[in-house]
Amino acid sequence: MENKVYLEMRNIKKSFNGVKVLKGVSLQVQKGEVHALLGENGAGKSTLMNILGGVHQPDSGSITIEGRDVKMSDPRESKANGVSFIHQELNVVPDLMVYENLFLGTEIKNKFGFLNVEEMCRQTADILGRLGVEIHPKNYVRELDNSYKQFIEIAKSLLHKSELIIMDEPTSSLADHEVERLFTFIRNLKETGVSIIYISHKLKEIEEICDRFTVLRDGELAGAGIVKEFKLDQITKLMVGKAISNERFEHKESQEAVLLEVNNLSSEGLYKNINFSVKAGEVVGFTGLAGDGRTELFESIFGYRKKYTGQIKVRGQVLKIDHPQKAVKAKIGFVPKNRKENAIIKDLSVIHNMSLSSLSKFNRNGLLDQSLERKRFRHYKDLLNIKVHDPNITIDKLSGGNQQKVMLAKWLEADPDILIFDNPTQGIDVGAKQEIYEQILALAAMGKAIIILSSEAPEILRLCQSIYVMYQGEIVSSFNGNRATEDMIMSYATGAKREDEQIG
Ligand SMILES: Nc1ncnc2c1ncn2[C@@H]1O[C@H](COP(=O)(O)OP(=O)(O)OP(=O)(O)O)[C@@H](O)[C@H]1O
Ligand SMILES: [Mg+2]
């Protein structure tokens, strides 16, 4: 492939309320390449892309596309210049068919003014066909997997002649098989000469799908290069300034007290015959592929789902938990996955998002004790390295990873005895991941029972003493963390093997 520069952003600067977020960043993207944009949480990746997408205006700097100077005054102008931004919150309409989504707002009509469904379906099939996507134009979007929803947005942008597509953490809520499908799609997209800017904290993905990379660090350019010419730990070093270990953590001996015990828990169509227990100080992991039922299982234990049979015992006592409030009362905490939909309250300040699960602590004669609240927030800001200049701004202004850290702070502040983390490091950079793991282990060392739900086997392997693998709603295997390997986990998670090795 000849190297032809498609996009150039030069010396881009941007401040918000006097805080310098981009301090003169440059980015060069070639035609038909997948370009990784990397950096720690809060480094400025999304801000740079928001400037390219016309969402924000730079304070200074220039943008050229194929040598032409362009200005992105608003998202519409950015689109007109061939750029399309696939946000994490997808804009597809579930209750419309695929072709209706593609032509929403640009419907084709025949000479009598009626919708030309046939032509729209033909063009939809054509574009999906070229990208190797096997879905019917008349499928309803709500019936499709998540990854297909992204494809529809991308197909829509191609229909409008996009030549550069920005994907900001496109795989953060996809299952493994969906990621593979997305990658096939991206490869086909490249073939058509489209350039892609790919933001992700999953370095394995960078190795697999990206051609070149640019690293931002604290609003500055930290490095750029060809992915194949670098080792992943070199790239990590550019991002965080030091090498990050991948070793398993050592665990302290767990205590004898069983804090959570589950006997024969079943819920029709979701999971069945679940038995396990977690002791004080223990870190237990649950993993599996999409549809394994682990999230639903723990949603029941936390009281989000009422319909189940079997027994949940907390500190030896049988409890009927049919509401999250009861779970909180029983000192159970739950950090859910997909913080955007499930956890953060967008219009609320950063600091109130933190105190939300422990309001009684901050209650001083019916009023909120703001000075205590500020003090507690400062504690977590230092502990978790949360990047925020003013905790009174609404949480949606924080970078994605920092929002996630505030969610962790919220549950640490609530101080439960049993803590369930569903995908705790979603959107968290490699350096901060390490810090969060250390925090989790510190909680265990304090005698809390920790449960980690994750689809990332390496994460489970590094962190957990006992590992349960689920497949289609059942626990198909349990391992001692020291003995487990990624291959062992995968062979059970895919349903290829099943048996129960006793944890011991
Ligand atoms: N609208 C805004 N108002 C104030 N500050 C903002 C705004 N948008 C972004 N910031 C700040 O700019 C910095 C960079 O944020 P950005 O979202 O670009 O980071 P990021 O590299 O995408 O991080 P992540 O990996 O966590 O998504 C952060 O400190 C963030 O709080
Ligand atoms: Mg971001």
Side-chain angles (χ1 to χ4, degrees):
M1 182 174 46
E2 79 182 292
N3 295 349
K4 219 172 127 203
V5 175
Y6 180 74
L7 165 80
E8 205 165 357
M9 297 180 84
R10 265 193 234 105
N11 206 15
I12 303 285
K13 295 187 181 160
K14 177 74 183 171
S15 300
F16 290 107
N17 312 319
V19 180
K20 286 183 187 154
V21 167
L22 296 175
K23 305 169 189 169
V25 169
S26 299
L27 170 71
Q28 214 186 54
V29 177
Q30 295 178 358
K31 194 167 170 56
E33 77 164 343
V34 183
H35 194 103
L37 183 57
L38 306 170
E40 290 181 295
N41 297 132
K45 303 178 297 293
S46 297
T47 304
L48 187 66
M49 291 303 100
N50 278 329
I51 287 171
L52 182 58
V55 179
H56 292 318
Q57 293 308 303
D59 300 333
S60 63
S62 64
I63 306 177
T64 57
I65 285 183
E66 296 190 304
R68 277 179 295 124
D69 275 321
V70 289
K71 228 178 125 48
M72 310 298 198
S73 311
D74 54 36
R76 208 170 334 138
E77 196 168 354
S78 173
K79 232 176 221 153
N81 279 307
V83 176
S84 81
F85 197 155
I86 310 298
H87 291 273
Q88 270 174 354
E89 310 80 41
L90 298 175
N91 284 319
V92 291
V93 186
D95 286 327
L96 292 181
M97 293 181 208
V98 171
Y99 86 87
E100 290 173 314
N101 265 286
L102 253 63
F103 285 92
L104 195 63
T106 54
E107 291 83 358
I108 301 178
K109 295 188 176 149
N110 64 21
K111 59 185 174 188
F112 306 109
F114 292 113
L115 290 180
N116 192 341
V117 175
E118 208 177 313
E119 177 60 17
M120 289 189 281
C121 285
R122 196 192 60 73
Q123 289 193 24
T124 302
D126 176 56
I127 210 154
L128 292 173
R130 267 189 286 150
L131 295 168
V133 179
E134 289 170 6
I135 47 179
H136 195 274
K138 286 191 173 173
N139 275 143
Y140 278 97
V141 168
R142 69 175 120 79
E143 288 159 3
L144 303 173
D145 268 8
N146 269 322
S147 57
Y148 285 122
K149 294 177 188 157
Q150 285 185 340
F151 300 165
I152 291 169
E153 279 219 26
I154 295 167
K156 181 169 179 171
S157 67
L158 296 179
L159 197 70
H160 301 296
K161 309 272 180 279
S162 286
E163 294 191 62
L164 174 69
I165 295 178
I166 305 165
M167 301 185 187
D168 197 347
E169 301 188 43
T171 61
S172 65
S173 50
L174 296 188
D176 282 352
H177 70 281
E178 295 177 324
V179 174
E180 275 316 309
R181 196 187 288 141
L182 176 69
F183 285 178
T184 308
F185 180 80
I186 288 178
R187 290 189 188 102
N188 293 339
L189 206 55
K190 264 175 66 165
E191 289 296 306
T192 68
V194 168
S195 309
I196 293 160
I197 298 178
Y198 190 92
I199 300 180
S200 173
H201 290 292
K202 301 180 183 165
L203 291 176
K204 274 215 172 121
E205 294 183 352
I206 306 302
E207 204 169 34
E208 188 173 343
I209 197 76
C210 298
D211 303 302
R212 294 189 321 131
F213 69 90
T214 295
V215 178
L216 301 187
R217 191 150 155 227
D218 243 341
E220 288 177 278
L221 187 67
I226 296 171
V227 174
K228 273 205 209 95
E229 295 175 357
F230 284 74
K231 291 214 175 79
L232 284 185
D233 52 358
Q234 290 175 300
I235 297 180
T236 306
K237 218 167 160 183
L238 284 175
M239 286 167 63
V240 291
K242 60 178 185 215
I244 297 287
S245 121
N246 280 317
E247 275 167 37
R248 281 185 57 81
F249 287 98
E250 293 291 327
H251 289 273
K252 289 218 175 107
E253 197 64 32
S254 40
Q255 300 163 18
E256 278 311 302
V258 173
L259 294 189
L260 177 69
E261 186 180 332
V262 165
N263 295 318
N264 291 321
L265 212 65
S266 299
S267 179
E268 199 167 336
L270 297 177
Y271 52 84
K272 71 177 181 215
N273 280 331
I274 304 290
N275 292 289
F276 69 92
S277 65
V278 190
K279 290 182 198 157
E282 201 176 14
V283 184
V284 172
F286 280 77
T287 187
L289 304 180
D292 65 354
R294 69 180 174 260
T295 293
E296 292 79 3
L297 167 63
F298 284 92
E299 283 173 352
S300 303
I301 293 172
F302 193 67
Y304 283 133
R305 295 174 183 273
K306 298 181 186 55
K307 279 193 197 150
Y308 59 83
T309 57
Q311 216 179 35
I312 301 171
K313 278 189 186 171
V314 179
R315 285 176 227 91
Q317 265 198 333
V318 179
L319 285 188
K320 178 77 198 161
I321 301 177
D322 51 12
H323 194 282
Q325 265 169 18
K326 279 198 186 163
V328 172
K329 237 184 175 157
K331 303 212 98 192
I332 304 176
F334 187 90
V335 186
K337 65 176 173 189
N338 297 343
R339 65 177 171 269
K340 289 229 171 76
E341 296 122 60
N342 299 329
I344 68 164
I345 304 204
K346 269 199 332 213
D347 316 325
L348 212 57
S349 69
V350 172
I351 194 163
H352 290 334
N353 264 286
M354 181 238 9
S355 46
L356 216 53
S357 288
S358 355
L359 285 177
S360 58
K361 266 196 203 169
F362 297 108
N363 180 346
R364 202 65 5 121
N365 306 321
L367 291 176
L368 186 71
D369 183 343
Q370 292 188 344
S371 96
L372 179 65
E373 199 188 26
R374 273 197 301 274
K375 195 170 141 217
R376 296 306 295 159
F377 185 76
R378 271 199 302 274
H379 169 73
Y380 291 113
K381 183 173 185 269
D382 293 344
L383 187 73
L384 301 173
N385 201 1
I386 301 175
K387 246 187 130 175
V388 55
H389 290 276
D390 174 6
N392 295 310
I393 58 172
T394 53
I395 195 167
D396 59 345
K397 300 220 166 52
L398 288 199
S399 83
N402 282 295
Q403 293 179 11
Q404 181 74 351
K405 291 183 187 179
V406 176
M407 288 304 103
L408 286 174
K410 163 174 151 176
W411 281 108
L412 296 185
E413 183 61 15
D415 194 30
D417 292 340
I418 300 163
L419 246 172
I420 304 157
F421 294 94
D422 198 355
N423 255 336
T425 57
Q426 186 177 27
I428 298 270
D429 71 57
V430 280
K433 249 186 195 173
Q434 181 77 11
E435 290 162 19
I436 286 174
Y437 294 157
E438 284 165 9
Q439 280 311 312
I440 290 177
L441 290 171
L443 290 168
M446 284 161 57
K448 303 196 180 291
I450 309 280
I451 295 155
I452 310 279
L453 315 186
S454 175
S455 51
E456 289 177 41
E459 172 161 281
I460 292 280
L461 283 167
R462 282 194 71 193
L463 212 50
C464 302
Q465 285 150 290
S466 314
I467 299 172
Y468 292 90
V469 183
M470 291 183 65
Y471 175 70
Q472 296 185 347
E474 287 182 86
I475 293 177
V476 287
S477 186
S478 52
F479 298 105
N480 181 308
N482 287 320
R483 284 213 294 273
T485 63
E486 208 167 327
D487 286 346
M488 278 156 79
I489 290 181
M490 284 321 284
S491 62
Y492 288 97
T494 52
K497 254 170 109 174
R498 63 174 299 163
E499 71 187 317
D500 286 65
E501 188 204 8
Q502 209 53 42
I503 287 184

